[in-house]
Amino acid sequence: TIDCAAGCVINFTARANDSAGNFRTNDTIITVASAATAPVIKLNNVSTFAVDPVASGSAIVLISFNVTDAEGVATINASKAIVNLTLGTRDVAQFRTNVSDAGGEFGTCFNHTQGSTMIINCTVLMKYYDNASSAWAINISVQDTSGQTGRNDSVTFTYNQLAAFSITSRG
């Protein structure tokens, strides 16, 4: 038994000889690869974009992304897709989220498979009072059936200022 982490190299040398003194050598090198790799996430519909708030309501932000996995599309667990929109540092961040199996306020994610790729579309609702900024980050994570988690947090977008007011009449 050989116990070796992913990335290590094992060099096998086998030698055999016969009764006449002839021998043969065979060298085989094996590089150990992990059987489980995390899914890879590539955003489809975003590069640089801006979202306009809706007065006294919510703006719908659609995030579409492709997910692939070295072990095959059947190992991608789309019910574990999470899309967060965050602004600020971790401890004081403002955030909006969509967990694919939560529904309700969090919205929903839908997916379909195309060849060896799973395409997931999620909507996230942003409130009219969310801070205007060009530093909102899109954070996506998806698990596979082996428990590996793929992440992509490489894209930011702009949430524009709300230019609206409301007048309520009395009497």
Side-chain angles (χ1 to χ4, degrees):
T1 301
I2 298 173
D3 188 6
C4 183
C8 75
V9 176
I10 302 169
N11 184 356
F12 290 99
T13 301
R15 293 191 175 141
N17 63 328
D18 61 16
S19 58
N22 299 315
F23 73 94
R24 182 118 171 124
T25 301
N26 186 7
D27 290 320
T28 302
I29 296 175
I30 298 172
T31 302
V32 177
S34 172
T37 58
V40 176
I41 301 168
K42 178 187 170 287
L43 279 82
N44 293 330
N45 67 329
V46 293
S47 54
T48 56
F49 71 100
V51 175
D52 292 321
V54 176
S56 298
S58 299
I60 297 172
V61 181
L62 171 66
I63 307 296
S64 179
F65 50 97
N66 290 349
V67 182
T68 57
D69 195 307
E71 285 76 49
V73 73
T75 65
I76 299 168
N77 189 352
S79 71
K80 297 296 183 186
I82 300 173
V83 177
N84 289 319
L85 307 179
T86 59
L87 176 65
T89 58
R90 181 179 203 98
D91 295 335
V92 293
Q94 191 174 20
F95 71 94
R96 296 290 172 224
T97 190
N98 181 328
V99 179
S100 61
D101 60 359
E105 176 188 347
F106 298 112
T108 55
C109 291
F110 298 97
N111 67 77
H112 67 280
T113 302
Q114 205 169 47
S116 62
T117 301
M118 181 172 289
I119 301 167
I120 301 176
N121 297 305
C122 293
T123 57
V124 181
L125 303 178
M126 294 198 62
K127 305 294 185 177
Y128 67 93
Y129 50 80
D130 288 335
N131 289 353
S133 175
S134 61
W136 279 89
I138 301 169
N139 306 289
I140 301 171
S141 65
V142 177
Q143 283 187 355
D144 62 14
T145 55
S146 69
Q148 299 290 319
T149 302
R151 300 187 195 297
N152 186 324
D153 59 358
S154 62
V155 176
T156 59
F157 71 97
T158 300
Y159 194 58
N160 292 324
Q161 289 185 338
L162 177 62
F165 64 94
S166 176
I167 298 176
T168 305
S169 63
R170 291 183 163 217

